[in-house]
PDB file of all heavy atoms in Angstrom:
ATOM      1  N   ARG A 119     -36.597 -11.733  11.900  1.00 90.00           N
ATOM      2  CA  ARG A 119     -37.000 -10.908  13.078  1.00 90.00           C
ATOM      3  C   ARG A 119     -35.677 -10.581  13.824  1.00 90.00           C
ATOM      4  O   ARG A 119     -35.565  -9.390  14.342  1.00 90.00           O
ATOM      5  CB  ARG A 119     -37.874 -11.783  13.984  1.00 90.00           C
ATOM      6  CG  ARG A 119     -38.399 -10.966  15.248  1.00 90.00           C
ATOM      7  CD  ARG A 119     -39.305 -11.766  16.081  1.00 90.00           C
ATOM      8  NE  ARG A 119     -40.490 -12.272  15.339  1.00 90.00           N
ATOM      9  CZ  ARG A 119     -41.557 -11.503  15.219  1.00 90.00           C
ATOM     10  NH1 ARG A 119     -41.674 -10.328  15.590  1.00 90.00           N
ATOM     11  NH2 ARG A 119     -42.645 -12.232  14.510  1.00 90.00           N
ATOM     12  N   ASN A 126     -42.838  -2.494  13.336  1.00 93.00           N
ATOM     13  CA  ASN A 126     -43.960  -3.082  12.548  1.00 93.00           C
ATOM     14  C   ASN A 126     -43.465  -4.345  11.846  1.00 93.00           C
ATOM     15  O   ASN A 126     -44.026  -4.608  10.853  1.00 93.00           O
ATOM     16  CB  ASN A 126     -44.643  -2.098  11.668  1.00 93.00           C
ATOM     17  CG  ASN A 126     -45.010  -0.853  12.381  1.00 93.00           C
ATOM     18  OD1 ASN A 126     -45.736  -0.969  13.362  1.00 93.00           O
ATOM     19  ND2 ASN A 126     -44.606   0.276  11.903  1.00 93.00           N
ATOM     20  N   ASP A 128     -44.168  -7.654  12.235  1.00 93.00           N
ATOM     21  CA  ASP A 128     -45.379  -8.559  11.882  1.00 93.00           C
ATOM     22  C   ASP A 128     -46.186  -8.103  10.840  1.00 93.00           C
ATOM     23  O   ASP A 128     -46.609  -8.793   9.925  1.00 93.00           O
ATOM     24  CB  ASP A 128     -46.061  -8.860  13.087  1.00 93.00           C
ATOM     25  CG  ASP A 128     -45.227  -9.730  14.031  1.00 93.00           C
ATOM     26  OD1 ASP A 128     -44.484 -10.557  13.589  1.00 93.00           O
ATOM     27  OD2 ASP A 128     -45.486  -9.564  15.262  1.00 93.00           O
ATOM     28  N   PRO A 136     -47.350 -10.339  -3.899  1.00 90.00           N
ATOM     29  CA  PRO A 136     -47.242  -9.821  -5.201  1.00 90.00           C
ATOM     30  C   PRO A 136     -47.929  -8.584  -5.605  1.00 90.00           C
ATOM     31  O   PRO A 136     -49.068  -8.428  -5.239  1.00 90.00           O
ATOM     32  CB  PRO A 136     -47.624 -11.071  -6.098  1.00 90.00           C
ATOM     33  CG  PRO A 136     -47.631 -12.157  -5.269  1.00 90.00           C
ATOM     34  CD  PRO A 136     -47.868 -11.724  -3.872  1.00 90.00           C
ATOM     35  N   GLY A 137     -47.195  -7.612  -6.128  1.00 91.00           N
ATOM     36  CA  GLY A 137     -47.871  -6.323  -6.519  1.00 91.00           C
ATOM     37  C   GLY A 137     -47.716  -5.295  -5.433  1.00 91.00           C
ATOM     38  O   GLY A 137     -47.993  -4.061  -5.792  1.00 91.00           O
ATOM     39  N   PHE A 142     -37.088  -0.935   0.964  1.00 87.00           N
ATOM     40  CA  PHE A 142     -36.378  -1.807   1.939  1.00 87.00           C
ATOM     41  C   PHE A 142     -34.981  -1.023   2.198  1.00 87.00           C
ATOM     42  O   PHE A 142     -34.495  -0.525   1.288  1.00 87.00           O
ATOM     43  CB  PHE A 142     -36.050  -3.128   1.397  1.00 87.00           C
ATOM     44  CG  PHE A 142     -37.281  -3.920   0.976  1.00 87.00           C
ATOM     45  CD1 PHE A 142     -37.494  -4.252  -0.272  1.00 87.00           C
ATOM     46  CD2 PHE A 142     -38.217  -4.416   2.017  1.00 87.00           C
ATOM     47  CE1 PHE A 142     -38.602  -5.055  -0.655  1.00 87.00           C
ATOM     48  CE2 PHE A 142     -39.367  -5.180   1.646  1.00 87.00           C
ATOM     49  CZ  PHE A 142     -39.415  -5.579   0.363  1.00 87.00           C
ATOM     50  N   PRO A 188     -48.657   1.289  10.268  1.00 95.00           N
ATOM     51  CA  PRO A 188     -49.026   2.631  10.606  1.00 95.00           C
ATOM     52  C   PRO A 188     -50.294   2.916   9.554  1.00 95.00           C
ATOM     53  O   PRO A 188     -50.088   2.779   8.403  1.00 95.00           O
ATOM     54  CB  PRO A 188     -47.934   3.558  10.243  1.00 95.00           C
ATOM     55  CG  PRO A 188     -46.792   2.498  10.184  1.00 95.00           C
ATOM     56  CD  PRO A 188     -47.265   1.215   9.958  1.00 95.00           C
ATOM     57  N   VAL A 192     -50.463   3.469   5.301  1.00 96.00           N
ATOM     58  CA  VAL A 192     -51.306   2.786   4.400  1.00 96.00           C
ATOM     59  C   VAL A 192     -52.046   3.621   3.466  1.00 96.00           C
ATOM     60  O   VAL A 192     -52.281   3.481   2.266  1.00 96.00           O
ATOM     61  CB  VAL A 192     -52.190   1.829   5.201  1.00 96.00           C
ATOM     62  CG1 VAL A 192     -53.277   1.214   4.204  1.00 96.00           C
ATOM     63  CG2 VAL A 192     -51.340   0.764   5.783  1.00 96.00           C
ATOM     64  N   ALA A 205     -53.218   8.026 -13.757  1.00 63.00           N
ATOM     65  CA  ALA A 205     -52.450   8.768 -14.653  1.00 63.00           C
ATOM     66  C   ALA A 205     -52.575   8.072 -16.027  1.00 63.00           C
ATOM     67  O   ALA A 205     -52.536   6.988 -16.228  1.00 63.00           O
ATOM     68  CB  ALA A 205     -51.009   8.723 -14.177  1.00 63.00           C
ATOM     69  N   SER A 210     -47.332   6.528 -27.778  1.00 48.00           N
ATOM     70  CA  SER A 210     -47.044   7.280 -29.050  1.00 48.00           C
ATOM     71  C   SER A 210     -47.966   6.409 -30.129  1.00 48.00           C
ATOM     72  O   SER A 210     -47.960   5.303 -30.206  1.00 48.00           O
ATOM     73  CB  SER A 210     -45.653   7.340 -29.396  1.00 48.00           C
ATOM     74  OG  SER A 210     -45.133   6.037 -29.537  1.00 48.00           O
TER      75      SER A 210
END
Side-chain angles (χ1 to χ4, degrees):
R119 184 181 305 276
N126 306 307
D128 290 323
F142 302 114
V192 173
S210 57

